[in-house]
Amino acid sequence: MSFPRGSQTQKIRHPIGTRKGPLEVPPPTEKDWPKEDEEDHVLVDPNEELDSLPQPYRMINKLVNLLFDQSWEIIEERNALREAESSQIQPTVFPPLGEIQLNKMPNCMAVSQDYVFIGGAKGFTIYNLYNAKQIYAWEKLKVDVTSIWATDLGNEILIAPVDEMGIVRLFYFYKEGLYLVKAINEVDDTSKQTTCIKMEVSQGGDFAAFLLQGAGDIWLDVYKLPKETWLKKVENPQLTSNPKKKVRQLQLNTLGLISADQLEMDTNACFKGDIKLSLPVYIMKIKPPKAVTGTPFKSPLEVFAKIKDCYGLGSGQNHFIKDSQWEQQAEIFQASYKKYLDGEWEEEPLSTATFYFLLPSCLFAMPTEVKGPTGMTCVLGIHWTRSHNFFLYSLNRTLKDKADPEGVWPCAAPIAVSQLSCSSSYLVLACEDGVLTLWDLAKGFPLGVAALPQGCFCQSIHFLKYFLVHKGQNMYPEGPVKSQMKCVVLCTDASLHLLEASGTQGPTISVLVERPVKHLDKTICAVAPVPALPGMVLIFSKNGSVCLMDVAKREIICAFAPPGAFPLEVPWKPMFAVSPDHPCFLLRGDYSHETESTDDAGIQYSVFYFNFEACPLLESISKNCIIPQRDLDNMAFPQALSLEKRCERFLQKSYRKLEKNPEKEQEHWARLQRYSLLLQKESFKK
């Protein structure tokens, strides 16, 4: 937007120090300049050959040029990305194997055994995982169900839906019969209604814990579940021997497009509201640890004269610091950081809790008089927001007992995230400073401490079932292993890491996916391990893509996507469920018709069924994923063997050594005979 001036180019004169000849006053116009000084005039900028525009056109010209430069940079970046993507090998995208069409919007989903539980408007619905048929729809609420949990108890399933009012109800599902146990936190006075934030059921279904919030307070209620009484009450001898009930397997050809209006109801499934089951037994209420306060004692002598129990000074717990000392410290703090404290501060949110049910271990000192079934949950582990401590509470108590922790594990920084493995053998505590502590609960010692890269902070932890790379393929070892664990860590910057630990060797951490810098649409939003495929995890990205990654090879195997007309409703928070028992997962996708109406009439809600065995790349992996025992013996791989098995192997090994030396064999047998006679004599004396 400038115009050439031709020969009338603007020129300037050299500085006075570089001029030739005597100084003289320059003429007022360029036309009066002498021609002999033509060589003394130079152009400052080639752009000065163009006339400068008056304002505001000069500013408009700069903005147009800036906009053009930025657009050109975006075009070059897109072309480079397109060339990079074309040069890369794109993963194979597999479509869903089946689809369940729903009349109402699903809010949550859970999978347990052979059933799918979908929470939505006014209740939840149960579907069969094999043929996608609707079994039963419990819709007796005035509000929607926002979250749902389903816990496998063996032959039974415990279902816990939470509605919009925060009320959690406990259901017992046995032999396709649904029973309502109790509405845990429902009250008659709505002003006193509490909200359920989280719940957890112990392995085996002996205990349940509910994190409740209300009236500006938060606490954890722990119940003992009388599942044996439930089973006796609902079990009917006439239905126990059903010749038509056989072990079913997933049939890939039976799944297809099934409309909710055409679903055939299973005549055996029903809601048995007339049968009243025994209520859970309330055993404990746990509140967050109290803030540190002062003591009224005036001197240490008065402290030791009044206390009855043995306390520790300076441990941060049960200390004896006077109120005046706390006031002095507060005044010093206020004076030092006054300029930072003058601004308005938002109200600090309530503390929340993460809790787990732990199996017996040598880490937990239990009273000798307490006796329970082998393998039964005995300890509740919990940590609160902004707390350095992991508290351990014994479950062998009644409501009259004081809810004090039996043990405390302190950490150097506040615990941000934690995770317990499915077998309850390993625990990972991630602190706010990016340090992770790994515990082997079965053996009773820490596996080590690992630190995330600088600037990375833990967002979530996902345990993988331990696997080995055998002949170039990920495979599960036959039988349990000891002191061997692997997990993936998703960080707040969307980077993904693999954490491994083995016995006394220090843990190692490696990067699986780097933090996205330019392409933010590839940001990882969620990660889900696939138990049916060794070393495989599903990665959900912000752009709606779902990929399957091999963590051992650090590469994408394939991808999954619903039909093009059914994008994910919220790509950064996908609604999905991975089956722990079958090689499949479910994913929600919605199709919005082109209509101006704001109601749900123009939206088609669907839940898509993806089966890993239907993919040619994964079929062989799913069916051949266990290493035979003989190969494990050759690899000298440490396994968690039972005491009887270890004794048998030790005796066999010793016997093989004796066979090589007959003289030592006779000597050992004679020694055993003398020792046996000595034991017999001592037994007779008693």
Side-chain angles (χ1 to χ4, degrees), residues 435-449:
V435 176
L436 294 88
T437 305
L438 291 67
W439 287 91
D440 185 350
L441 302 180
K443 294 297 180 182
F445 65 88
L447 290 174
V449 177

Side-chain angles (χ1 to χ4, degrees), residues 343-356:
E344 295 183 359
W345 290 85
E346 296 181 359
E347 184 179 356
E348 188 176 4
L350 285 175
S351 176
T352 185
T354 304
F355 47 95
Y356 308 100

